[in-house]
Amino acid sequence: MSKPGSLLGALAALVSVFVPAWQASAEEYVDVALVLAVDISRSMSPEELQIQRRGYAAAISSPEVVRAIELGAHGRIALMMFEWANENHARVIADWALIETQDDANRFASVVMEDQTRAQNRTSISGAIRHAAAFLNDVPFLADRRVIDISGDGPNNQGPPVLGARAAALEKGITINGLPLMTKGGVGFQFNIPDLDEYYRRCVTGGPGSFVIPVTNWDQFPDAVRRKLILEIGYRPPERERVIRAQFRVEEPYDCLVGEKIWKRLREQYYWDP
């Protein structure tokens, strides 16, 4: 018969084998480690960028989001926010913070509003996913789930194809949710596609429980972000929410290189430099 000490030691060794490397240095349990990846490409106007910033701050500090955090198994989440555009641009706006109370949420929102956005060239969703996955790898908490919350107003048009970046993140157990901004007009309208929500669903999002919430009017933005955060924190959709579940059925192939093709066509048409 095995001694109790030997059995406990064997169980401890077995558990340690299955603990992911990204949890090794964690100090405290959280329900979710959530990265907010915010598009600041030049296709968005300064006014739109400011609406976006205010919308995130209002949603994070809303009583509904704080209540969703309080109802979690651990009653706390880890949150960080960065801005993305081209493949190499990943500017941290608010670094990893433990959000447990209304005061925590208010402080995070204040940090978001204290900063100023500076738009950048190009749209690399693949780069945004890669940077977000790296941030999640360094999260200083033990997270039950790891989620990338990515918003954007156009398809990938720079850097590696988005499917490869998505696959790499999913292999690490990361879920990717999308907030496609399908508003009309703007300086980058020529890069827009009419089915950006479908592009996000088919090419960008993935993982357990992943979803897409499209925004068709900027007036909808604050509420859409709030609802999205509640879904990500609570991991269950409220009834009658307009949510598109990602990758739910087998479908005809979708062209996930549509953004790269638009960029190539416009560059050739207007003789842009590579």
Side-chain angles (χ1 to χ4, degrees):
M1 175 178 285
S2 299
K3 294 181 179 180
S6 300
L7 180 59
L8 290 175
L11 288 173
L14 182 62
V15 170
S16 67
V17 170
F18 291 97
V19 174
W22 58 269
Q23 293 185 347
S25 61
E27 297 177 353
E28 191 166 8
Y29 280 95
V30 295
D31 292 302
V32 60
L34 177 60
V35 174
L36 304 178
V38 182
D39 180 13
I40 58 160
S41 57
R42 293 194 188 280
S43 55
M44 297 173 65
S45 69
E47 292 76 17
E48 291 171 337
L49 291 173
Q50 189 60 24
I51 291 172
Q52 184 172 238
R53 182 69 70 90
R54 290 198 302 266
Y56 273 104
I60 292 164
S61 60
S62 69
E64 296 87 350
V65 168
V66 174
R67 180 58 176 164
I69 294 172
E70 293 172 344
L71 291 174
H74 303 297
R76 64 183 75 91
I77 68 169
L79 186 65
M80 70 92 62
M81 176 177 172
F82 79 99
E83 295 178 332
W84 64 273
N86 59 68
E87 180 184 11
N88 297 314
H89 186 82
R91 181 170 173 266
V92 174
I93 300 304
D95 212 342
W96 284 116
L98 189 68
I99 310 297
E100 190 170 13
T101 66
Q102 184 68 60
D103 287 343
D104 295 334
N106 290 344
R107 279 192 293 270
F108 193 97
S110 295
V111 172
V112 170
M113 287 305 300
E114 286 170 1
D115 193 84
Q116 294 296 319
T117 294
R118 293 180 288 278
Q120 301 290 320
N121 290 326
R122 305 297 294 270
T123 299
S124 180
I125 299 175
S126 58
I129 293 174
R130 175 172 57 85
H131 288 299
F135 290 133
L136 282 169
N137 194 59
D138 295 332
V139 61
F141 304 101
L142 262 167
D144 288 352
R145 293 176 289 116
R146 296 184 298 162
V147 177
I148 298 171
D149 176 326
I150 186 166
S151 65
D153 69 343
N156 194 77
N157 64 35
Q158 195 257 347
V162 70
L163 287 179
R166 179 180 72 175
L170 298 187
E171 286 178 1
K172 297 177 180 179
I174 295 171
T175 294
I176 306 172
N177 297 323
L179 189 74
L181 308 177
M182 303 174 65
T183 55
K184 304 297 182 182
V187 295
F189 68 92
Q190 66 268 40
F191 298 105
N192 294 346
I193 58 175
D195 60 344
L196 186 64
D197 52 348
E198 185 72 355
Y199 174 87
Y200 262 70
R201 187 175 70 85
R202 301 286 293 275
C203 309
V204 178
T205 59
S210 61
F211 61 88
V212 173
I213 297 182
V215 174
T216 57
N217 188 295
W218 280 110
D219 291 340
Q220 303 170 348
F221 186 81
D223 184 61
V225 176
R226 178 185 58 80
R227 292 187 293 121
K228 191 165 186 285
L229 290 175
I230 291 172
L231 290 177
E232 289 164 333
I233 294 165
Y235 197 49
R236 58 185 183 275
E239 294 181 1
R240 296 184 296 279
E241 291 285 9
R242 182 169 180 253
V243 174
I244 302 174
R245 284 288 167 187
Q247 300 173 320
F248 181 71
R249 59 189 183 277
V250 177
E251 300 168 297
E252 292 296 320
Y254 185 91
D255 186 5
C256 292
L257 293 175
V258 59
E260 287 85 347
K261 292 177 179 177
I262 292 174
W263 181 270
K264 182 176 184 295
R265 173 175 56 80
L266 291 174
R267 188 184 66 188
E268 292 173 349
Q269 180 179 351
Y270 294 106
Y271 303 103
W272 291 345
D273 291 331

